[in-house]
């Protein structure tokens, strides 16, 4: 993880001045690995979940979500 954070491309995925969330990602130079982090500033009951679209991925590559193993294309994650 440290290598990915230090030697990567950084993307700011949301504007905390415009949204209730601040999100960013680190994408490896070969576009094989990505770390996404987000902070929701204020949470209220029945609040809509913030949507963040990723950047810098290979549209044709498949990415696996580590928590549950689901696969997504880069295109789907970036909503291109």
């Amino acid at each position: 993880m440290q290598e990915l954070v230090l030697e990567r491309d950084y993307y700011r995925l949301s504007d905390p001045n415009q949204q209730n969330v601040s999100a960013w990602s680190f994408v490896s130079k070969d576009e094989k690995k990505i770390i996404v982090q987000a902070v929701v500033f204020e949470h209220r009951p029945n609040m809509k979940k913030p949507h963040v679209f990723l950047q810098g991925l290979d549209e044709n590559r498949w990415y696996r979500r580590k928590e549950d193993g689901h696969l997504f294309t880069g295109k789907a994650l970036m909503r291109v």
Side-chain angles (χ1 to χ4, degrees), residues 7-24:
E7 300 174 18
R8 62 13 181 182
D9 291 330
Y10 169 80
Y11 295 93
R12 186 170 127 181
L13 304 175
S14 66
D15 182 351
N17 296 314
Q18 302 292 322
Q19 298 174 287
N20 192 33
V21 63
S22 181
W24 57 94

Side-chain angles (χ1 to χ4, degrees), residues 13-78:
L13 304 175
S14 66
D15 182 351
N17 296 314
Q18 302 292 322
Q19 298 174 287
N20 192 33
V21 63
S22 181
W24 57 94
S25 68
F26 302 102
V27 180
S28 64
K29 294 290 186 187
D30 62 5
E31 300 175 339
K32 289 184 178 181
K33 295 182 180 180
I34 181 171
I35 295 174
V36 180
Q37 298 174 311
V39 175
V40 176
F41 299 115
E42 184 179 359
H43 185 71
R44 294 183 215 117
N46 301 321
M47 189 172 102
K48 284 179 63 177
K49 292 180 183 177
H51 290 272
V52 176
F53 301 107
L54 304 183
Q55 299 175 24
L57 304 180
D58 180 341
E59 289 183 18
N60 300 311
R61 188 179 303 259
W62 287 89
Y63 294 89
R64 182 181 311 274
R65 187 166 47 198
K66 192 174 182 179
E67 291 80 13
D68 58 15
H70 282 102
L71 291 170
F72 305 90
T73 63
K75 185 175 183 177
L77 293 170
M78 295 189 301

